[in-house]
Amino acid sequence: MTGNTSTHKLRRNLAAATVAALPLLAMAPSAAAIPQESATAEKTLTCRTDTDGYWGHAHCTNNGNVVRGFRASVVCGGWPDATGAWRTLNPGQSGLSSARCFGGTGVGSVTWEEG
């Protein structure tokens, strides 16, 4: 066997990481693509989420009396998660934030963050 020890360790670690990721790759992007709508005590916006497979969207309305910011937060199957651009909503205003999974199996779920 030729090659140095660090190369063999790297290959072994890469193989282990690939095997560990296989269950994530088996998830279908449409499995969690059911639109969601909610408003909780922590989240003062009323938001609806959806996906078309590789894009996740958060459609929010500010029903409160203060300015609020939000962004989409997307979990990507077998790929790094993504977040959309922050959007600022005045009272009574609606807006959209979107994020894209650039690989893997696409969108696993979509939610939003307020700030």
Side-chain angles (χ1 to χ4, degrees), residues 83-95:
T83 53
W86 283 100
R87 303 292 183 210
T88 302
L89 299 178
N90 292 316
Q93 195 175 28
S94 296

Side-chain angles (χ1 to χ4, degrees), residues 6-42:
S6 64
T7 302
H8 294 295
K9 286 180 183 177
L10 179 61
R11 287 181 184 163
R12 185 178 62 235
N13 290 341
L14 183 57
T18 302
V19 169
L22 288 177
L24 294 174
L25 297 174
M27 290 176 48
S30 62
I34 299 169
Q36 303 170 1
E37 188 167 334
S38 98
T40 65
E42 301 86 33

Side-chain angles (χ1 to χ4, degrees), residues 36-49 57-73 85-97 111-115:
Q36 303 170 1
E37 188 167 334
S38 98
T40 65
E42 301 86 33
K43 295 184 177 184
T44 60
L45 300 176
T46 301
C47 297
R48 173 178 59 85
T49 61
H57 313 282
H59 310 265
C60 295
T61 302
N62 184 353
N63 295 318
N65 57 4
V66 296
V67 175
R68 296 296 294 177
F70 79 99
R71 70 178 175 180
S73 182
W86 283 100
R87 303 292 183 210
T88 302
L89 299 178
N90 292 316
Q93 195 175 28
S94 296
L96 169 71
S97 178
T111 188
W112 69 96
E113 298 175 55
E114 289 187 30

Side-chain angles (χ1 to χ4, degrees), residues 22-36 49-57 74-79 99-111:
L22 288 177
L24 294 174
L25 297 174
M27 290 176 48
S30 62
I34 299 169
Q36 303 170 1
T49 61
D50 62 61
T51 181
D52 61 7
Y54 282 87
W55 281 92
H57 313 282
V74 176
V75 175
C76 301
W79 201 259
R100 180 176 180 206
C101 297
F102 285 93
T105 59
V107 175
S109 66
V110 182
T111 188

